[in-house]
Amino acid sequence: MKTDFKLLVAGELVDGVSRFDVINPATEEAFAQCPRADEAMLDRAVAAAKAAQPAWAALSADERGACLHRLADAMEARIEDFGRLLTAEQGKPLDQAMYEIGGSIYTIRAIAGMRLPDQTMRDEGGNTIIEHRTPLGVCAAITPWNFPVILLVGKMAPCLITGNTMVAKPAPTTPLTTLLLAELAADIFPAGVFNVVCDQNELGPRLTGHPDIAKVSFTGSTATGKKVMASAAEGVKRVTLELGGNDAAIVLDDVPARIAAEKVYNGAMANAGQICVAIKRAYVPSAMYDEFCAEIAKLTQAAVVDDGSKQGATVGPVQNKMQYDKVKALIADAKARGTLIAEASAPDKPGYYIAPTVIGGLSDDAPLVAEEQFGPVLPVLTYDDIEDVIRRANDSPFGLGGTVWGMDQLRAMDVARRIDSGTVWVNQHLAIDPNIPFRGSKQSGLGSEHGLAGLMEYTQAHIINAVSLEAEPA
């Protein structure tokens, strides 16, 4: 496995001012080192992006798209390297890592083909009004540790296809797959178009507040997102924020308990629950509760928790020690307050392993219900009245995603319309598509990613309002 990594600054792969360890969460041991940038290197990256942007924007969208397709091809040629490196630094089982890399390649190709042509708003009586869009300039991408590759390319591809340049800063616990991507990008994009700097969380304010950064796209916690927004306010920068979630799953009374349990379990426990739109709380009819719990208990106890590089592992470790401690504390509190429905077994060895856990009997104000756990633990709650459960599902400062499960699709869609979240899926979950806008409600963020709406986030709209000027009579 590759262990020698460099930053990408101004088209050059360079060493940092120092290096720091990258920990494999399955062993708690360092397996590689990451170069660390300082403010001077960050400033150089921003300056290079600013210098490169006019020429990059002057290319046609087809020419820029061709570069993105070349990057997708290069990633596909090294998909095994990406997958194994992702498992080593993030912890997810290898098949899930390969799925993320495959999805990243698909995302790049999908966005590379998107265009934002001029929109004619009026063309009559000599009055022509069009809206056309221009790039913003230099954009910053700050990405988290749960999906370090696909969340990066979901920012990078729309940024570059619309004629902007980028400085990316990955999470310090999962920087290596981003640096591998940077290594490929160095041979594809003109110098300065795409830059990557790594730190240990000290360069964020400098990047978000930099006077030459026109836009910041951030994915992470709501608390950090508020700091990003405040930092960007000084320069009135554009911001896109994808923040925390506490996604509710509402199971309607016409769904067989076995089907509902399987769907909810998969939506809650994928990537060890470390997904912003994972199911964080499940509401089931009181009459279905016992049967639902019996079915989800079978699935929970069948989980294989282990090193993601080992064949057969279905749940890997939590990615870092801070998150491990937080989730363990939430589980201990929930067990004291409620009733343990089921718990898998975790290996007794070093690693941030947390056994998938399902807990019932909690009140709506219990921390496991009211907060975002971001780990493999799920509270199951009951309801008797559909109006009551809609109110409870919406009684949260978050509104990122949600799901409704029902055999009567129209009825389920009617419930979904009343859930205050950016995306509500019906009879499916985690169906994120680069062609479909993805956005949050309330404190789960602002702006949009993916789809044409996501491309618009990286552009400035201009209205051209023209009338014909007739010559005056002689």
Side-chain angles (χ1 to χ4, degrees):
M1 183 184 299
K2 179 181 174 65
T3 58
D4 180 31
F5 296 91
K6 296 182 182 297
L7 307 174
L8 177 58
V9 177
E12 299 178 356
L13 295 170
V14 298
D15 293 320
V17 296
S18 62
R19 302 181 78 82
F20 59 89
D21 288 340
V22 179
I23 304 299
N24 183 333
T27 64
E28 299 183 52
E29 296 179 352
F31 73 98
Q33 288 195 318
C34 176
R36 183 181 67 83
D38 60 6
E39 285 197 359
M41 295 186 75
L42 172 61
D43 289 345
R44 183 178 164 218
V46 175
K50 182 179 180 180
Q53 194 272 326
W56 177 250
L59 297 176
S60 69
D62 288 347
E63 289 173 314
R64 296 192 295 266
C67 289
L68 286 168
H69 280 294
R70 286 177 59 198
L71 179 63
D73 292 342
M75 289 181 68
E76 192 163 43
R78 298 189 62 179
I79 192 167
E80 290 283 345
D81 294 337
F82 271 101
R84 295 189 183 282
L85 183 60
L86 180 56
T87 289
E89 70 173 352
Q90 201 280 332
K92 64 187 63 179
L94 183 58
D95 61 335
Q96 296 178 31
M98 296 297 288
Y99 185 80
E100 178 178 345
I101 303 304
S104 301
I105 294 168
Y106 173 74
T107 295
I108 293 173
R109 288 177 174 154
I111 295 174
M114 295 180 184
R115 300 291 182 268
L116 288 175
D118 289 351
Q119 299 294 313
T120 299
M121 308 179 77
R122 180 182 298 163
D123 188 10
E124 58 185 23
N127 183 196
T128 301
I129 303 176
I130 65 169
E131 178 184 88
H132 83 113
R133 292 182 170 269
T134 57
L136 297 173
V138 182
C139 303
I142 302 176
T143 50
W145 44 257
N146 59 331
F147 285 94
V149 183
I150 199 165
L151 291 176
L152 171 62
V153 302
K155 304 176 188 300
M156 174 196 196
C159 170
L160 300 190
I161 194 62
T162 49
N164 303 279
T165 54
M166 174 165 277
V167 177
K169 188 179 84 69
T173 56
T174 55
L176 302 183
T177 43
T178 298
L179 293 180
L180 181 56
L181 181 70
E183 182 181 309
L184 303 182
D187 293 330
I188 295 171
F189 297 105
V193 168
F194 181 64
N195 306 267
V196 176
V197 294
C198 299
D199 69 342
Q200 290 185 287
N201 283 333
E202 67 273 7
L203 293 178
R206 176 64 178 172
L207 180 60
T208 57
H210 198 290
D212 290 329
I213 294 292
K215 171 188 168 64
V216 179
S217 181
F218 170 80
T219 299
S221 71
T222 295
T224 304
K226 291 177 181 179
K227 294 178 182 178
V228 170
M229 194 172 181
S231 177
E234 180 67 25
V236 197
K237 303 180 191 299
R238 278 41 172 185
V239 292
T240 301
L241 304 175
E242 182 200 331
L243 307 178
N246 190 3
D247 299 22
I250 297 176
V251 178
L252 300 181
D253 57 11
D254 61 349
V255 183
R258 178 185 57 80
I259 294 176
E262 179 182 3
K263 300 293 187 181
V264 169
Y265 176 85
N266 290 336
M269 301 300 178
N271 199 37
Q274 300 166 114
I275 307 176
C276 55
V277 286
I279 293 173
K280 308 295 199 316
R281 48 198 170 117
Y283 295 90
V284 301
S286 296
M288 187 192 298
Y289 179 77
D290 290 342
E291 187 179 0
F292 179 91
C293 289
E295 294 291 343
I296 204 168
K298 297 175 188 176
L299 297 165
T300 303
Q301 291 160 353
V304 179
V305 184
D306 207 342
D307 185 328
S309 66
K310 292 189 175 181
Q311 187 172 4
T314 61
V315 179
V318 171
Q319 200 281 318
N320 57 77
K321 181 64 161 58
M322 182 180 297
Q323 191 62 24
Y324 173 86
D325 290 341
K326 174 188 173 182
V327 176
K328 291 290 282 188
L330 280 172
I331 291 174
D333 177 84
K335 286 180 176 179
R337 294 171 182 262
T339 303
L340 180 64
I341 294 171
E343 187 173 28
S345 59
D348 183 15
K349 62 180 180 180
Y352 305 131
Y353 297 105
I354 297 179
T357 306
V358 182
I359 296 177
L362 296 174
S363 62
D364 286 356
D365 61 356
L368 185 61
V369 179
E371 300 175 12
E372 180 183 35
Q373 64 269 51
F374 222 68
V377 52
L378 175 72
V380 178
L381 303 105
T382 62
Y383 75 92
D384 295 301
D385 177 75
I386 194 66
E387 299 298 327
D388 175 61
V389 75
I390 291 171
R391 177 192 61 77
R392 291 163 65 194
N394 287 335
D395 186 19
S396 170
F398 301 108
L400 191 59
T403 56
V404 181
W405 306 89
M407 301 302 288
D408 184 336
Q409 183 175 327
L410 293 178
R411 177 189 177 211
M413 290 180 67
D414 182 63
V415 173
R417 287 187 180 94
R418 301 170 64 191
I419 303 302
D420 188 3
S421 294
T423 297
V424 184
W425 290 289
V426 173
N427 296 333
Q428 58 180 342
H429 196 63
L430 305 177
I432 296 176
D433 184 329
N435 299 288
I436 304 300
F438 178 72
R439 54 177 70 90
S441 174
K442 296 183 283 190
Q443 292 189 32
S444 286
L446 54 84
S448 180
E449 294 195 298
H450 298 319
L452 294 181
L455 261 65
M456 291 179 186
E457 295 277 326
Y458 289 89
T459 64
Q460 174 62 51
H462 299 270
I463 299 296
I464 307 299
N465 190 335
V467 295
S468 61
L469 186 62
E470 297 180 357
E472 294 183 3

